[in-house]
C-alpha cells in the first residue's frame, strides 16, 4: 500500500522506516527543501495549502495520515474528498486546539484540571476568578514544547499577560501540583481493536520532553487506558493516539492528547513487541495490530540541541541511537537514545553506564 504523510519530520521518518519491512511506500508532503523523512520516503515539496500538491499526494497514496496536528483544516478536507484520511479530521481538530481538547475530556468524564477560555483581556480577569492562581495561561493552538504559555503565579502576573501571549485565543488552566507526568500511547485499528502500551513516566525540562520511562504494570495503567479507550471510541479513531496526564496523589488529570505518534512512545521501537510507528502504519492501512507489550525494560532519552559523540553511545551496552539527520539548534530534537535491558536492575546499570560515558 501507499501511505501519504502530511509533514516530513522525524515522526514521518520513523513511520516510513517502520513501513518499509511491511512493503508500505511512503510519500511525505512538507514545505522544507530536505525534511528529514525525505531520506527514506518520496517527498512533495509544497505548502500544506497548495491544492495541486495535495492532489498529487492523494494520487500517490491509498491512505493519508499526518505527523503533526497543526495541519490546516482545508488541506485535510481536500484530501478526504479524494482518499482515506486517518485519524479522522475531528480528532485532528480536537488535538489542534487545547480548549476543544479539554472540553471533550470534560464531556467524556475524563478528569482534567480546572480551565476556562480566554478570548479577551476582560475574560482573563473572570477566568482567574473561576480557575484561581497559580495557573498556566496557554495559547489554544500552535503551542508545543512549552512555547506559547506563561505561568501566572499570582495577581501581579495577570496584567499584560493577554498582550504578552499575542492577543490570541487562550485557555487558562489551574496549575497542577503533580507528583509525576505520565502518558499513554494507544492504537485503534479500523475494525475497532484497541491496544495500549504501558504507561510511560515523562520528565520535562523547560516544557520539552527529556526522558520517558515505560512502567509496565503501573497502578495508573487501568485508569489511563479507560480514559484513552473512551477517547478512541468517541472519535471513531484509527491509528496511534497519545494521552498526556498529570498524576497528583491517586488523581489522574488529562492534560492533552496528540492525534499521532508521540515522543513518549519512541521507546517502543526497541522496547515493545511492535513499535508505535509500526502499529500506526498497520492501523491506518487496515492491517491487524501488533502486540503492544514491553520487551523487558527500557528508557528513552531525547537528544536536544546538540549530539553526544556517536561512538560513546554506540559503545554503551543496550543503547540504541536514533539520529534524525537534523542540524544542531538550541531546543531542537535531533535524535534519541533508547536503553534496553531484560530486567530493571540491569537497565539501571546500563543507564548509569551511558550517563557516565556521555559525561
Ligand atoms: P503542555 O504544552 O500542555 O504539554 O505543557 C508543557 C509542560 O508544562 C507540561 O509537560 C508540564 O510540565 C507543564 N504544565 C503544563 N500545564 C500545566 C498545568 N496545568 N499544571 C502544571 N504544569 C503544567
Amino acid at each position: 500500500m501507499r501511505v501519504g504523510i502530511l509533514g516530513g519530520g522525524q515522526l514521518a521518518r520513523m513511520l516510513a522506516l517502520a513501513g518499509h519491512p511491511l512493503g508500505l511506500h511512503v510519500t511525505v508532503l512538507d514545505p522544507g527543501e530536505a525534511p528529514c523523512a525525505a531520506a527514506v520516503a518520496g517527498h512533495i515539496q509544497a505548502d500544506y495549502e497548495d491544492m495541486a500538491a495535495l492532489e498529487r499526494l492523494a494520487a500517490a497514496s491509498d491512505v493519508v495520515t499526518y505527523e503533526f496536528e497543526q495541519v490546516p483544516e482545508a488541506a485535510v478536507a481536500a484530501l478526504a474528498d479524494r482518499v482515506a484520511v486517518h485519524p479522522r479530521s475531528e480528532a485532528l481538530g480536537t488535538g489542534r486546539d487545547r480548549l476543544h481538547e479539554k472540553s471533550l475530556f470534560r464531556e467524556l468524564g475524563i478528569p482534567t484540571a480546572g480551565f476556562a477560555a480566554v478570548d479577551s483581556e476582560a475574560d482573563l480577569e473572570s477566568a482567574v476568578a473561576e480557575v484561581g492562581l497559580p495557573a498556566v495561561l496557554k495559547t489554544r493552538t500552535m503551542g508545543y514544547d512549552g512555547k506559547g504559555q506563561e505561568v501566572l503565579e499570582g495577581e501581579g502576573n495577570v496584567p499584560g499577560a493577554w498582550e504578552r501571549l499575542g492577543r490570541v485565543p487562550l485557555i487558562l488552566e489551574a496549575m497542577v501540583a503533580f507528583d509525576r507526568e505520565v502518558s499513554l500511547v494507544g492504537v485503534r485499528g479500523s475494525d475497532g481493536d484497541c491496544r495500549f502500551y504501558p504507561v510511560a513516566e515523562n520528565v520535562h525540562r523547560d516544557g520539552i520532553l527529556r526522558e520517558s520511562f515505560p512502567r509496565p504494570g503501573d497502578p495508573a495503567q487501568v485508569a489511563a487506558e479507560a480514559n484513552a479507550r473512551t477517547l478512541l471510541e468517541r472519535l471513531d479513531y484509527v491509528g496511534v493516539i497519545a494521552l498526556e496526564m498529570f498524576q497528583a496523589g491517586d488523581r489522574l488529570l488529562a492534560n492533552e492528547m496528540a492525534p499521532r505518534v508521540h515522543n513518549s512512545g519512541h521507546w517502543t521501537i526497541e522496547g515493545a513487541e511492535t513499535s508505535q510507528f509500526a502499529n500506526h502504519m498497520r492501523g491506518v492501512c487496515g492491517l491487524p495490530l501488533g502486540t503492544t507489550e514491553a520487551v523487558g525494560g527500557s528508557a528513552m532519552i531525547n537528544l536536544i540541541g546538540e549530539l553526544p559523540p556517536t561512538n560513546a553511545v554506540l559503545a554503551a551496552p543496550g543503547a540504541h541511537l536514533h539520529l534524525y539527520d537534523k542540524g544542531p539548534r538550541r531546543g531542537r530534537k535531533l535524535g534519541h537514545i533508547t536503553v534496553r535491558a531484560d530486567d530493571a536492575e540491569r537497565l539501571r546499570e546500563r543507564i548509569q553506564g551511558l550517563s557516565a560515558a556521555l559525561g
Side-chain angles (χ1 to χ4, degrees), residues 190-242:
S190 54
D191 58 355
D193 182 17
C194 290
R195 301 188 181 203
F196 303 94
Y197 290 94
V199 154
E201 210 172 299
N202 300 321
V203 179
H204 293 84
R205 271 191 304 283
D206 303 326
I208 305 180
L209 180 69
R210 307 286 160 158
E211 287 140 25
S212 281
F213 302 94
R215 303 285 190 219
D218 193 280
Q221 185 78 26
V222 173
E225 271 188 25
N227 289 343
R229 186 184 293 275
T230 306
L231 262 179
L232 289 171
E233 286 173 356
R234 162 67 178 73
L235 292 168
D236 191 17
Y237 196 94
V238 173
V240 163
I241 198 170

Side-chain angles (χ1 to χ4, degrees), residues 98 136 138 149 173-176 178 181 204 246 255-256:
R98 293 182 192 274
V136 190
K138 304 178 179 178
Q149 49 182 279
E173 298 175 9
M175 173 82 98
V176 180
F178 54 78
E181 296 189 70
H204 293 84
F246 300 126
N255 179 36
E256 60 181 343

Side-chain angles (χ1 to χ4, degrees), residues 101-113:
E101 197 167 77
K102 289 238 161 45
S103 303
L104 179 63
F105 295 160
R106 188 175 270 176
E107 176 198 322
L108 295 175
I110 298 172
T112 66

